């Protein structure tokens, strides 16, 4: 049933692009993947992973390796700034085999996916991107930065929130928008009592911790800032510790005391983006952050990008007409991706405005229930 595609190009080797390569190679297509970073490096601290993402890892075939390197757990505990326990949000296992939530070092996850991509039949070119895309009737001519050109039956744009593919193919699409909040992250030695995610929610700041291996956990803190700005690296430790002084909970005070120059502290201003349908033009289709970049409030950005790639491969396997498959892909993905971007944005807004904590907890709970549904 699958369409007769000789060559597929994937632009961008992040979580979404790598998953597309792995899943499409299972359909025996010839796949080229270009990644602009010559070292194919993923920076960053920890990444939280929900049950739906773990289910996607099972589909891709990396769940066992993930569970070896990361940390699976169940439930999220919400506390007041002085420590009072407010709520337990369950994250029930997806099945006997698939836990409800987890976390891992981001570079570790990238390594697992890159290994699986290399084991698939994919021609990977690092330090390379496209220069020019020319739509033909049923094909796309692509010129690359290394001077080569090639004709493809399908091009997949997976080059992230600041996508060059999106700018080339949908120049009218809106740019990512700053949401008025930034996130601090750090890596700390894991405390024995941290066995799942804990969050302390203040009037405007929120701090949390998540175990991501036997030895490590990562800390996050969201801070509202009216204007998008960078933070001075040399002041990271002091700034983050000062912010944590807003929480009198002994556990948060203990975490603040553990921070030092080796804690891999990072600050990122948060943007989001939801490109309206269509997500394809002729034979160029977009997946992942390229079309829906979310703030991390539901820890599901990677999830929906990875699911995009799985669904795209499923639809290509089911239809012999490419346009029908691309339409089916985008229609299956729209509501779910919109829910993640919009609910995450609403959570950010509640935090920025010091809004209703009950609404915050309810949105988290309802979103997790929605994410557990089949894709
Ligand atoms: C602060 C923060 C915390 C987050 N925390 C979580 C979390 O806990 N859980 C979660 O699920 N999600 C989280 N996310 C979201 C998640 O990181 C993204 O949704 C996910 O990385 C998207 O993957 P992607 O492959 O679509 O895009 P990207 O990860 O951006 O990958 C794009 C790839 O394309 C490459 N590239 C860029 N331009 C070009 C080009 N022109 N040509 C070729 N290659 C190119 C890049 O080098 C990169 O490898 C977080 C996001 C932020 C900002």
């Amino acid at each position: 049933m699958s369409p007769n595609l000789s060559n597929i190009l994937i632009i961008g080797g992040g979580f979404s692009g790598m998953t597309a390569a792995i899943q499409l190679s299972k359909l025996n297509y010839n796949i080229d993947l270009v990644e602009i970073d010559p070292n194919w490096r993923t920076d960053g601290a920890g990444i939280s992973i929900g049950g739906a993402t773990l289910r996607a890892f099972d589909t891709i075939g990396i769940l066992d390796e993930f569970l070896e390197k990361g940390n699976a757990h169940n439930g999220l505990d919400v506390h007041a700034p002085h420590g009072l326990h407010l709520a337990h949000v369950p994250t029930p296992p997806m099945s006997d085999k698939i836990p409800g939530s987890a976390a891992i070092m981001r570079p570790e996850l990238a390594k697992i996916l890159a290994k699986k991509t290399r084991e698939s039949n994919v021609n990977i070119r690092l330090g390379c991107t496209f220069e020019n895309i020319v739509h033909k009737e049923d094909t796309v001519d692509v010129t690359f930065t290394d001077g080569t050109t090639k004709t493809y039956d399908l091009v997949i744009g997976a080059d992230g929130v600041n996508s060059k593919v999106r700018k080339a193919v949908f120049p009218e699409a809106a740019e990512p928008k700053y949401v008025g909040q930034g996130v601090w992250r750090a890596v700390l030695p894991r405390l024995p009592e941290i066995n799942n995610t804990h969050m302390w929610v203040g009037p405007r700041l929120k701090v949390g911790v998540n175990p991501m291996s036997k030895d490590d956990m990562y800390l996050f803190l969201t801070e509202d800032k009216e204007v998008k700005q960078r933070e001075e690296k040399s002041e990271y430790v002091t700034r983050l510790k000062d912010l944590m002084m807003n929480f009198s909970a002994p556990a948060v005070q203990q975490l603040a005391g553990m921070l030092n120059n080796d804690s891999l502290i990072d600050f990122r201003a948060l943007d989001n983006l939801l490109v309206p349908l269509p997500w394809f033009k002729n034979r160029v289709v977009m997946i992942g952050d390229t079309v829906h970049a979310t703030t991390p409030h539901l820890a599901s950005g990677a999830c929906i990008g990875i699911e995009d790639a799985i669904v795209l491969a499923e639809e290509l396997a089911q239809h012999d007409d490419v346009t029908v498959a691309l339409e089916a892909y985008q229609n299956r993905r729209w509501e779910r991706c919109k829910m993640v971007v919009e609910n995450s944005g609403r959570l950010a807004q509640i935090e920025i405005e010091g809004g209703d904590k009950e609404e915050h907890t309810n949105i988290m709970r309802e979103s997790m229930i929605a994410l557990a549904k089949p894709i």
Side-chain angles (χ1 to χ4, degrees):
M1 275 295 270
S2 211
N4 188 13
L5 305 176
S6 306
N7 294 309
I8 298 181
L9 170 67
I10 299 167
I11 301 174
F15 299 143
S16 309
M18 287 192 276
T19 305
I22 295 164
Q23 292 305 96
L24 288 167
S25 75
K26 293 176 185 168
L27 301 177
N28 293 322
Y29 291 128
N30 292 320
I31 298 161
D32 291 346
L33 183 150
V34 289
E35 161 59 46
I36 202 165
D37 178 359
N39 301 310
W40 210 3
R41 209 185 47 203
T42 293
D43 297 326
I47 181 162
S48 302
I49 296 296
T53 327
L54 295 170
R55 176 177 60 195
F57 290 167
D58 189 37
T59 305
I60 304 167
I62 61 162
L63 181 63
D64 290 345
E65 200 173 349
F66 174 90
L67 293 174
E68 255 172 52
K69 307 270 166 55
N71 184 268
H73 43 261
N74 276 321
L76 153 71
D77 284 291
V78 185
H79 309 262
H82 54 279
L84 180 74
H85 186 254
L86 297 177
H88 177 78
V89 182
T91 54
M94 302 291 287
S95 70
D96 290 351
K97 179 179 161 202
I98 306 172
S101 50
I104 192 168
M105 276 299 277
R106 190 178 272 263
E108 201 62 61
L109 175 57
K111 241 191 271 170
I112 295 172
L113 274 165
K115 180 170 156 255
K116 187 83 183 166
T117 308
R118 287 188 195 280
E119 286 165 3
S120 308
N121 191 17
V122 179
N123 168 33
I124 301 162
R125 257 187 300 169
L126 301 179
C128 181
T129 186
F130 75 99
E131 189 87 56
N132 205 15
I133 287 177
V134 179
H135 300 277
K136 294 287 169 75
E137 197 179 332
D138 283 333
T139 55
V140 187
D141 287 349
V142 181
T143 312
F144 294 96
T145 44
D146 61 6
T148 57
T149 56
K150 190 163 167 180
T151 300
Y152 292 93
D153 300 301
L154 183 65
V155 172
I156 300 171
D159 53 342
V161 63
N162 297 309
S163 169
K164 200 176 145 193
V165 176
R166 189 181 65 237
K167 289 185 183 103
V169 179
F170 289 92
E172 68 286 359
E175 287 294 298
K177 200 163 162 241
Y178 176 55
V179 299
Q181 203 182 36
V183 61
W184 293 86
R185 288 171 298 165
V187 178
L188 293 173
R190 179 171 168 185
L191 293 171
E193 62 272 27
I194 299 295
N195 288 316
N196 64 325
T197 309
H198 288 264
M199 267 174 25
W200 293 262
V201 184
R204 291 169 65 156
L205 301 179
K206 175 186 80 186
V207 65
V209 71
N210 202 353
M212 59 178 171
S213 72
K214 281 193 278 317
D215 303 321
D216 300 306
M217 57 185 188
Y218 85 88
L219 176 113
F220 53 91
L221 184 146
T222 48
E223 180 191 13
D224 56 299
K225 281 169 189 277
E226 216 171 308
V227 179
K228 188 172 182 175
Q229 64 194 72
R230 285 176 172 274
E231 290 284 339
E232 246 343 289
K233 269 204 161 122
S234 58
E235 291 169 16
Y236 272 5
V237 178
T238 320
R239 281 274 294 119
L240 184 50
K241 279 190 178 193
D242 282 353
L243 289 165
M244 289 173 74
M245 290 306 125
N246 289 285
F247 298 81
S248 59
V252 180
Q253 293 298 310
Q254 184 185 5
L255 294 169
M258 292 164 74
L259 289 167
N260 59 49
N261 284 324
D262 296 326
S263 306
L264 301 175
I265 300 176
D266 180 44
F267 175 80
R268 277 280 289 274
L270 295 175
D271 294 329
N272 70 6
L273 170 80
L274 181 64
V275 176
L277 299 185
W279 286 350
F280 72 95
K281 190 182 273 178
N282 303 329
R283 293 297 184 96
V284 182
V285 62
M286 300 181 290
I287 63 170
D289 272 21
T290 305
V291 273
H292 48 66
T294 177
T295 58
H297 296 78
L298 290 170
S300 295
C303 175
I304 52 178
I306 288 168
E307 288 178 352
D308 284 354
I310 291 171
V311 169
L312 177 61
E314 282 178 4
E315 293 300 336
L316 283 168
Q318 271 179 36
H319 303 278
D320 53 10
D321 183 299
V322 182
T323 307
V324 172
L326 299 183
E327 261 165 14
Y329 147 73
Q330 64 171 26
N331 294 339
R332 248 177 91 184
R333 297 305 298 152
W334 170 252
E335 285 300 332
R336 189 170 169 90
C337 298
K338 179 170 172 278
M339 182 277 288
V340 169
V341 176
E342 289 183 349
N343 285 5
S344 301
R346 177 67 194 141
L347 292 172
Q349 203 183 358
I350 294 171
E351 291 170 12
I352 291 164
E353 292 167 355
D356 186 350
K357 301 282 174 292
E358 205 179 314
E359 186 193 349
H360 194 282
T361 307
N362 286 341
I363 293 175
M364 301 247 354
R365 198 190 308 269
E366 281 159 20
S367 306
M368 283 179 195
I369 292 169
L371 280 163
K373 290 189 179 147
I375 54 173

